[in-house]
Amino acid sequence: FFSICHLMPLTLYYYAIEGGRVGCIRAALLHAGVEFEDKMLNFQEYSQMKAAGTAPAGMPCLEIDGKQMTQSLAISRFVGKKSDLYPKDDVQALVVDEVMDIVQDVLTKCPQDPDAEVKKKKREEYAAGKMKDFFDQISKRMTEVPGPFLLGAKPSIADMQVFYLLDMLRMGFFDHVEPTYPDAWQPLVAHEKAMAESEVIKKYREYFASKKP
Amino acid sequence: FFSICHLMPLTLYYYAIEGGRVGCIRAALLHAGVEFEDKMLNFQEYSQMKAAGTAPAGMPCLEIDGKQMTQSLAISRFVGKKSDLYPKDDVQALVVDEVMDIVQDVLTKCPQDPDAEVKKKKREEYAAGKMKDFFDQISKRMTEVPGPFLLGAKPSIADMQVFYLLDMLRMGFFDHVEPTYPDAWQPLVAHEKAMAESEVIKKYREYFASKKP
């Protein structure tokens, strides 16, 4: 990867936030020890780029040697391969990919509604229904091999996606879903603690604290 | 892969339809020349499995040696790796993964509404707005290297996802979006034709016609 990165300048574009859809990507880039330009935009800067027609087609965006690539999971997998956070074994990779797609489902299937009351009702139904099923699935996978991580002793990009999903919940990102929602799954709470204490997350948090505008 | 498959019995669970979220998976399994049990369920059988608690957590589901894996993109990538339909080069794999995630976005971000008129309005806005942006992105990627496929002369699982997305549109799967919608993108129409004539799709269509209940 070092050779690629000396040949290919890397620029990451996203809002100046730690977690959400960018956390896994920035943390993996740091874990790889690779140099990259970290364009942390605020909403005003992004609006200006949009107006000027210079905004990426989607964010997060990883620009590789001038080519702008979008989609947080695709980018996470790319940087995961380069930072030893994505397994070479195909069945293990399937487990990682499945969990990442379930996390994505939790986010994309979360209902919206312009009517505040309807939104509240839909969100509560989601938290008690489909979202609970997704959490059951993730939690079950976390217990299939000895932990603390999905595949065992080493974290993967799937662990990072799960970690930042829980982080979003803890921060109240999901209106009408309690920040304590994950506490019903003991394996996920144990996982959250192990991730917070992992080198990859600690290193990223130090970096983010130092870079935050 | 043959050795894996002799060790690990494979069973695929999905509805008895050709395309949608299962087309890429079945076609890639056939392309790999691997034996698998193809459980084509009808809605009644699936309901009975649900009631009996024996339904997979999600469908499509690939059961590998008794372990049930869900998520259509994760499974597509797994069978793609086994059938030479997923690139070994990491930058090419990023291009494939990005396009697959954009196709997934087209499907998951398509608005729903219980009110027929509101749904129509939302769908029309989507087709003219966000969905158009997604199609622009996919079409642009299709022209970045000489075709007819995303990465050149050989199709990948991303080409198959795009093909079955267009197939869903052609079949009128998207209420209030015209079946002629893709015709506005000449590279996508050319791609559709090349895919329909490819060995991987032709072989799958013959198989499906022979197996269809």
Side-chain angles (χ1 to χ4, degrees):
Chain A
F1 195 36
F2 288 102
S3 62
I4 285 181
C5 295
H6 287 302
L7 292 171
M8 297 186 176
L10 293 178
T11 308
L12 181 66
Y13 297 86
Y14 201 67
Y15 302 112
I17 64 169
E18 180 204 324
R21 295 188 184 273
V22 82
C24 176
I25 299 168
R26 271 209 210 98
L29 282 167
L30 285 166
H31 189 69
V34 64
E35 275 193 38
F36 66 104
E37 191 180 352
D38 199 349
K39 292 250 192 205
M40 290 191 191
L41 307 174
N42 60 39
F43 290 96
Q44 197 195 343
E45 287 166 327
Y46 181 61
S47 297
Q48 287 168 350
M49 285 173 81
K50 266 193 131 169
T54 58
M59 292 215 299
C61 167
L62 184 65
E63 192 175 278
I64 306 173
D65 201 18
K67 180 167 173 154
Q68 294 194 334
M69 300 300 303
T70 64
Q71 290 292 342
S72 61
L73 296 190
I75 300 168
S76 294
R77 193 171 297 108
F78 176 75
V79 299
K81 287 172 184 171
K82 301 306 189 186
S83 56
D84 200 23
L85 292 165
Y86 184 78
K88 287 183 177 59
D89 174 83
D90 293 338
V91 175
Q92 289 201 329
L94 172 57
V95 173
V96 164
D97 286 347
E98 186 210 44
V99 167
M100 292 215 295
D101 284 344
I102 298 171
V103 170
Q104 184 79 339
D105 268 355
V106 172
L107 298 174
T108 55
K109 298 197 170 161
C110 188
Q112 295 287 355
D113 205 281
D115 183 298
E117 273 309 300
V118 176
K119 181 178 171 186
K120 182 170 183 288
K121 187 167 168 285
K122 282 187 179 176
R123 288 280 171 105
E124 286 167 356
E125 281 171 8
Y126 181 64
K130 213 171 187 57
M131 183 168 166
K132 186 178 167 299
D133 293 342
F134 289 140
F135 270 69
D136 283 344
Q137 269 189 278
I138 299 171
S139 186
K140 179 170 173 284
R141 287 282 182 251
M142 286 294 176
T143 60
E144 288 179 346
V145 295
F149 305 115
L150 178 65
L151 301 175
K154 263 176 50 180
S156 69
I157 49 170
D159 294 284
M160 290 154 77
Q161 296 285 348
V162 172
F163 180 70
Y164 281 111
L165 173 66
L166 263 63
D167 179 68
M168 281 188 256
L169 277 159
R170 299 298 190 195
M171 288 172 66
F173 179 88
F174 286 64
D175 297 353
H176 312 296
V177 181
E178 288 296 318
T180 55
Y181 184 81
D183 295 344
W185 290 270
Q186 192 278 327
L188 295 185
V189 174
H191 179 266
E192 186 180 25
K193 189 166 177 293
M195 282 301 290
E197 289 166 0
S198 70
E199 282 311 308
V200 60
I201 294 297
K202 281 201 305 203
K203 187 173 175 181
Y204 172 44
R205 288 194 154 166
E206 279 166 28
Y207 166 87
F208 187 79
S210 75
K211 289 277 176 172
K212 198 177 163 184
Chain B
F1 194 36
F2 288 103
S3 63
I4 284 180
C5 295
H6 287 302
L7 292 172
M8 296 186 176
L10 293 178
T11 307
L12 181 66
Y13 297 85
Y14 200 68
Y15 301 114
I17 64 169
E18 181 203 324
R21 295 187 185 273
V22 82
C24 176
I25 297 167
R26 270 209 211 98
L29 282 167
L30 285 167
H31 188 69
V34 64
E35 274 192 40
F36 66 103
E37 191 180 351
D38 198 349
K39 291 250 194 205
M40 290 192 192
L41 307 173
N42 59 41
F43 291 96
Q44 197 195 343
E45 287 165 328
Y46 181 60
S47 298
Q48 285 168 350
M49 286 173 80
K50 266 194 130 167
T54 58
M59 292 215 299
C61 166
L62 184 65
E63 193 175 279
I64 306 173
D65 202 19
K67 180 165 173 156
Q68 294 195 332
M69 301 300 303
T70 64
Q71 290 292 342
S72 61
L73 296 189
I75 299 169
S76 295
R77 193 171 297 108
F78 176 74
V79 297
K81 287 172 184 171
K82 301 306 189 186
S83 57
D84 200 23
L85 292 166
Y86 185 78
K88 288 184 176 57
D89 175 84
D90 293 339
V91 175
Q92 288 201 329
L94 171 58
V95 173
V96 164
D97 286 347
E98 186 210 46
V99 167
M100 291 215 297
D101 285 345
I102 298 171
V103 170
Q104 185 80 339
D105 268 355
V106 172
L107 298 174
T108 55
K109 299 198 170 159
C110 187
Q112 294 288 354
D113 205 281
D115 182 299
E117 273 310 301
V118 175
K119 181 178 170 185
K120 182 170 183 289
K121 188 168 168 285
K122 282 188 179 174
R123 288 279 171 105
E124 286 167 358
E125 281 171 9
Y126 181 62
K130 210 170 189 57
M131 183 168 167
K132 187 179 167 299
D133 293 343
F134 289 139
F135 269 70
D136 283 344
Q137 269 189 278
I138 299 171
S139 186
K140 178 170 173 284
R141 287 282 181 250
M142 286 294 175
T143 60
E144 288 179 346
V145 296
F149 305 116
L150 178 64
L151 301 175
K154 263 176 50 180
S156 69
I157 49 169
D159 294 282
M160 290 154 76
Q161 295 285 349
V162 172
F163 180 70
Y164 281 111
L165 173 66
L166 263 63
D167 179 67
M168 280 188 256
L169 278 159
R170 299 298 190 196
M171 287 171 67
F173 179 89
F174 286 64
D175 297 354
H176 312 296
V177 181
E178 288 297 319
T180 55
Y181 184 81
D183 295 346
W185 290 270
Q186 193 278 325
L188 295 185
V189 174
H191 178 266
E192 187 180 25
K193 189 168 177 291
M195 282 300 290
E197 289 166 0
S198 70
E199 283 311 310
V200 60
I201 295 297
K202 281 201 305 202
K203 187 173 175 182
Y204 171 45
R205 289 195 154 165
E206 279 165 30
Y207 166 86
F208 187 79
S210 74
K211 289 278 177 173
K212 199 177 163 186

